[in-house]
Amino acid sequence: MELSIAAGQPAFGALLRRHRLAARLTQEALAERAGLSAKSVSALESGVRRSPYRATIDRLADALGLSPPQHAELAASARRQPRAPVRSERPALGDRPGLPVPPTPLVGRGADLALGLELMGRPEVRLLTITGSPGVGKSRFALELAWALCAGRDEVRFVPLAALADHGQVGPAIQQALAVPDGATPVEERLARHIGARRVLLLLDNFEHVLGAARLVASLLAACAELHLLVTSRAPLDVRGEHRLPLGPLEVANPSRRLAPVELGRVPAVELFVQRARAANPVFRLAPDNAVPVAEICRRLDGLPLALELAAPWIATLSPDTLLARLEDRLRLLAHGPADLADHQRTLRDTLRWSHELLSPSERVLFRRLSVFRGAFGLEAAETVCAGAGLDSGDVPVCVARLVDKSLVAVEPEPGRPARYRLLDTIRAYAAELLAADEAPGAEAPDAVHGRHANHYLRMAEAARDPRWSPGRVEQIHCLEASYPDLHAALRWHQAHDVDRWVQMVTALSWFWTTYSHLDEGREWLLAVLEAFPPVSAERCHVLHTLGVLAYWQGRYPAADELLRRSLALAKELDDHEEVARITASIGHAALAAGDRAAAWAAYERVITSAADDALRGLVLVRMGDLHLQEGSIAKARDVLVRGLAMATRTGHMDAVARADMFLGVAAYLDGDNPEALRCATASLRQYARIGHWSGVAGTLEALAVLAMARGDGVRALRLGGAAAAIRRRIGSPPSRGWEDVVASAAFEPARAITGAYADEAWADGERLSLQDAIEDALDLSR
């Protein structure tokens, strides 16, 4: 919802900072209390991010301990405004330092700039190295930071190093920039004598290929107490006293959020792209008909400023849709940069080649082979897939660390878990080009690397074949979901090179498709392998069963019933009693989702009387509790749900535990016990979120919308409804017929009646929430 602001009222960032200082909190402390990142708090205070969601405002207000009037004032100050480009205060031209004047404004770096200024303001920070991937904009950012640091300096100088042939030329380059006369003494001594006790700031740009000069840098810092150095480099200098500021790509639009063009235009990567596109085509505007392809272009280019700047001028001759389609060959497309850029920055391939040539032989081998990974990967996967001719497995960890240091591989830390690594898509495309063309003596054929990659993910799929929602399996499924792009690549590889392994992998992943709601893709793969099996076989029975489950999750109830009954007939013909029970339970689930209570009762009663599997019996009891609720038998429902919950807990069936909690909450609500209903519903939401069951998350968000409405909070009820609708739309899984009617009548219809003109806006706000923000907004009900 758009929030208004009274005339003369302080802006959100200024007001937030005032409250934070009054509470005697640092940005880091406030971020920890509010469950945000320090970078987000910095961006809000600096005005770089001016459109916080209401859930974010609420979390900040709670963390600051604001009174209700203060909370309301903070919310009212959060009016969405156009973001001004980042510009630092600069000296007058007559007092101008020896720095180039940037030809364009800096976009999307307000929080990074604030951090850089904070670091350089600390007395212990005299060497700040700005690191980052090729094309991330280190030089442009450092230049803006240098301009912001000019005040109070005796001398400020820019020292370009890209054209130097070796590290021995760094001293003379600094000498030339400072206009130090030649002499008989070593250049290091002359530089130290010239700088002396003066306050001097040097910006040393593109240091990565002259790292041997790091000793010179350390020596000058030791000799000159007021010397400060900004360095841009794809690798750190590794000298004492060095502080690093890693620069990441620009923020891109979250694909799960539906943003209007005006909001999308405030996303930093999109803002930069549109600025540069309009420089080439003045009539270009971000509009509803081009917003989606523009956002996807920025995502596909990883938010890398250089890639965005090279791509944007094509808007003068190509539509965004056409440009997006041509990004399949991005290295060829992005090959014509401005004439005033350094030679190694004028094409995307040149800037990547510059980094590659600085690698050792073993690092080059690993870099090329890592291109087979499409998403994040662990160290074990890198060792399994990349070790081979020219690279021992024992060398892989060291080489990965060096590639991280040289900003060619990014680290994705996960709390409590081993770190995972990733190549940005643009960097991966260059590495893949090198792998395909590798003709070095003794080099492995690219197919050998791709084959090891495909087999590694086949083994991962096999390890998660068990369909039960046990804690151990959930961890395996999380690993599969984190590796989803690589699973897809492995499937394609096996399909083209080894049909037997392709079939094996598709069937191993059959329950994964439903677990993480990859419903359409799972259906396509399973239909593709179905005819590979004999007419009467356990494999064919299993695939038909899974296809039936996918169908009812998608709301295709007649198709689900037909597929499940075909599967049941096969299971009986094969005399597989356990599979008969599982399929019968699925028939009951499909009937329940379709609103056919009689068919659901009949199926569930057959399972309860015949199944020996307590995990399955526990799930069926929970579903029977839902049926009792639908028929108005609350006491009977509660009894059945409690028994089902106990059985599901004992057998580790986490999906059934979450579902039981949700329906116990419904029973409490129907009995008028809203606190108990809230406790059960939030427990269900936490469990569903933990196991990544997104359809379950949507259902509990809808249940919590009912409880929000019971409190009279129509805005929150509609916001949670919008968030649930966005999740369901993304995974392609509608609510069951009975549940949809209940939620509409108990929450959304009365909420619209009391919110009036704000109803659509509140719903749209919910649709724009990230998954985590939606969950946090719902959990706020219990705080």
Side-chain angles (χ1 to χ4, degrees), residues 605-673:
E605 286 168 355
R606 286 197 297 272
V607 174
I608 289 296
T609 58
S610 64
D613 183 350
D614 277 353
L616 181 61
R617 287 163 57 86
L619 175 62
V620 167
L621 281 172
V622 171
R623 298 281 194 158
M624 293 173 80
D626 181 10
L627 278 168
H628 283 303
L629 286 174
Q630 292 187 29
E631 295 177 352
S633 303
I634 300 174
K636 191 175 292 185
R638 187 179 288 110
D639 177 64
V640 171
L641 286 167
V642 168
R643 287 193 288 125
L645 176 60
M647 196 172 290
T649 302
R650 187 172 67 253
T651 57
H653 200 308
M654 299 168 72
D655 170 40
V657 169
R659 189 175 297 274
D661 275 330
M662 185 173 77
F663 285 113
L664 283 168
V666 173
Y669 169 77
L670 293 173
D671 261 349
D673 188 351

Side-chain angles (χ1 to χ4, degrees), residues 88-123:
S88 54
E89 292 297 322
R90 295 175 178 167
L93 287 178
D95 195 26
R96 187 174 125 192
L99 294 173
V101 176
T104 57
L106 184 66
V107 174
R109 294 296 189 192
D112 295 308
L113 191 61
L115 178 58
L117 290 169
E118 180 189 340
L119 288 170
M120 290 298 284
R122 297 177 186 173

Side-chain angles (χ1 to χ4, degrees), residues 433-649:
E433 193 177 82
L434 295 177
L435 179 65
D438 191 1
E439 296 179 354
E444 278 190 323
D447 280 3
V449 186
H450 282 286
R452 288 199 297 268
H453 172 271
N455 289 331
H456 174 74
Y457 287 97
L458 170 60
R459 289 191 292 273
M460 280 185 64
E462 281 289 347
R465 184 184 279 271
D466 183 352
R468 291 173 297 180
W469 287 88
S470 62
R473 179 178 180 269
V474 166
E475 183 60 33
Q476 291 174 324
I477 292 291
H478 278 325
C479 290
L480 287 178
E481 177 63 11
S483 304
Y484 185 65
D486 288 287
L487 290 177
H488 192 274
L491 282 166
R492 292 291 184 198
W493 176 263
H494 285 312
Q495 185 180 27
H497 296 83
D498 191 328
V499 172
D500 289 341
R501 291 190 176 187
W502 169 61
V503 171
Q504 180 186 358
M505 189 169 184
V506 171
T507 53
L509 289 171
S510 59
W511 291 107
F512 169 75
W513 310 123
T514 56
T515 299
Y516 271 95
S517 303
H518 298 294
L519 307 181
D520 284 332
E521 184 174 6
R523 180 169 174 267
E524 290 176 10
W525 285 116
L526 289 164
L527 285 172
V529 302
L530 183 60
E531 299 309 318
F533 301 117
V536 180
S537 61
E539 294 84 358
R540 187 177 182 84
C541 176
H542 173 71
V543 170
L544 284 170
H545 183 188
T546 310
L547 283 167
V549 172
L550 289 169
Y552 84 71
W553 276 107
Q554 292 181 303
R556 299 184 300 110
Y557 302 122
D561 187 67
E562 191 266 338
L563 287 162
L564 290 170
R565 293 193 182 281
R566 285 171 59 191
S567 174
L568 181 63
L570 268 180
K572 289 178 176 177
E573 190 171 350
L574 293 164
D575 202 27
D576 187 339
H577 298 290
E578 289 187 6
E579 189 66 8
V580 166
R582 285 193 290 266
I583 298 168
T584 302
S586 294
I587 289 172
H589 305 337
L592 180 58
D596 186 348
R597 291 201 295 265
W601 275 122
Y604 290 153
E605 286 168 355
R606 286 197 297 272
V607 174
I608 289 296
T609 58
S610 64
D613 183 350
D614 277 353
L616 181 61
R617 287 163 57 86
L619 175 62
V620 167
L621 281 172
V622 171
R623 298 281 194 158
M624 293 173 80
D626 181 10
L627 278 168
H628 283 303
L629 286 174
Q630 292 187 29
E631 295 177 352
S633 303
I634 300 174
K636 191 175 292 185
R638 187 179 288 110
D639 177 64
V640 171
L641 286 167
V642 168
R643 287 193 288 125
L645 176 60
M647 196 172 290
T649 302

Side-chain angles (χ1 to χ4, degrees), residues 724-746:
I727 293 171
R728 291 193 181 281
R729 185 170 53 248
R730 188 165 67 250
I731 65 178
S733 180
S736 64
R737 290 172 179 171
W739 179 250
E740 185 175 26
D741 294 340
V742 167
V743 173
S745 62

Side-chain angles (χ1 to χ4, degrees), residues 134-318:
V136 82
K138 297 181 292 294
S139 298
R140 176 64 187 86
F141 171 77
L143 191 56
E144 195 79 19
L145 183 56
W147 273 102
L149 292 167
C150 286
R153 307 281 175 179
D154 296 318
E155 194 167 6
V156 179
R157 289 290 180 264
F158 174 73
V159 186
L161 306 177
L164 303 189
D166 60 65
H167 69 268
Q169 297 176 327
V170 172
I174 298 173
Q175 175 189 343
Q176 182 179 359
L178 291 172
V180 177
D182 288 335
T185 57
V187 66
E188 179 181 326
E189 294 180 19
R190 282 182 280 122
L191 289 174
R193 189 164 55 248
H194 174 83
I195 296 170
R198 294 189 308 140
R199 290 177 54 81
V200 174
L201 173 68
L202 297 180
L203 169 50
L204 308 181
D205 190 36
N206 284 302
F207 206 94
E208 57 271 349
H209 68 301
V210 288
L211 287 170
R215 288 179 178 271
L216 169 64
V217 168
S219 175
L220 289 175
L221 287 169
C224 308
E226 294 298 324
L227 172 64
H228 288 75
L229 295 175
L230 283 179
V231 177
T232 70
S233 179
R234 296 176 191 178
L237 276 61
D238 282 333
V239 297
R240 288 180 296 173
E242 179 183 33
H243 291 254
R244 303 178 194 176
L245 197 167
L247 202 63
L250 292 177
E251 180 186 351
V252 299
N254 186 331
S256 68
R257 292 182 179 175
R258 297 197 324 181
L259 298 179
V262 67
E263 295 173 298
L264 183 63
R266 299 186 191 119
V267 175
V270 177
E271 184 179 358
L272 178 62
F273 180 85
V274 171
Q275 268 193 18
R276 301 301 186 263
R278 292 188 64 187
N281 180 4
V283 301
F284 177 74
R285 296 287 187 278
L286 201 59
D289 64 336
N290 63 28
V292 171
V294 167
E296 186 58 26
I297 287 168
C298 296
R299 281 194 292 270
R300 292 278 299 279
L301 294 177
D302 306 303
L304 281 176
L306 177 61
L308 295 169
E309 296 203 14
L310 294 175
W314 282 103
I315 292 299
T317 54
L318 301 176

Side-chain angles (χ1 to χ4, degrees), residues 254-410:
N254 186 331
S256 68
R257 292 182 179 175
R258 297 197 324 181
L259 298 179
V262 67
E263 295 173 298
L264 183 63
R266 299 186 191 119
V267 175
V270 177
E271 184 179 358
L272 178 62
F273 180 85
V274 171
Q275 268 193 18
R276 301 301 186 263
R278 292 188 64 187
N281 180 4
V283 301
F284 177 74
R285 296 287 187 278
L286 201 59
D289 64 336
N290 63 28
V292 171
V294 167
E296 186 58 26
I297 287 168
C298 296
R299 281 194 292 270
R300 292 278 299 279
L301 294 177
D302 306 303
L304 281 176
L306 177 61
L308 295 169
E309 296 203 14
L310 294 175
W314 282 103
I315 292 299
T317 54
L318 301 176
S319 71
D321 282 309
T322 305
L323 176 57
L324 177 61
R326 289 175 178 255
L327 286 183
E328 291 298 325
D329 192 4
R330 69 186 72 187
L331 296 177
R332 179 176 296 179
L333 183 74
L334 308 182
H336 303 287
D340 58 333
L341 285 177
D343 287 345
H344 72 279
Q345 294 176 325
R346 294 196 61 200
T347 77
L348 199 54
R349 185 179 277 108
D350 285 342
T351 197
L352 292 165
R353 182 185 297 120
W354 169 272
S355 288
H356 180 257
E357 288 175 353
L358 300 176
L359 301 179
S360 70
S362 57
E363 291 165 2
R364 292 184 185 188
V365 171
L366 179 61
F367 177 64
R368 291 193 293 272
R369 293 178 184 172
L370 288 177
S371 68
V372 300
F373 290 101
R374 299 303 181 100
F377 55 89
L379 199 56
E380 181 183 352
E383 291 171 317
T384 301
V385 173
C386 297
L391 184 66
D392 293 334
S393 61
D395 294 332
V396 170
V398 173
C399 288
V400 167
R402 288 175 181 164
L403 291 177
V404 170
D405 273 348
K406 294 174 181 178
S407 304
L408 287 169
V409 171

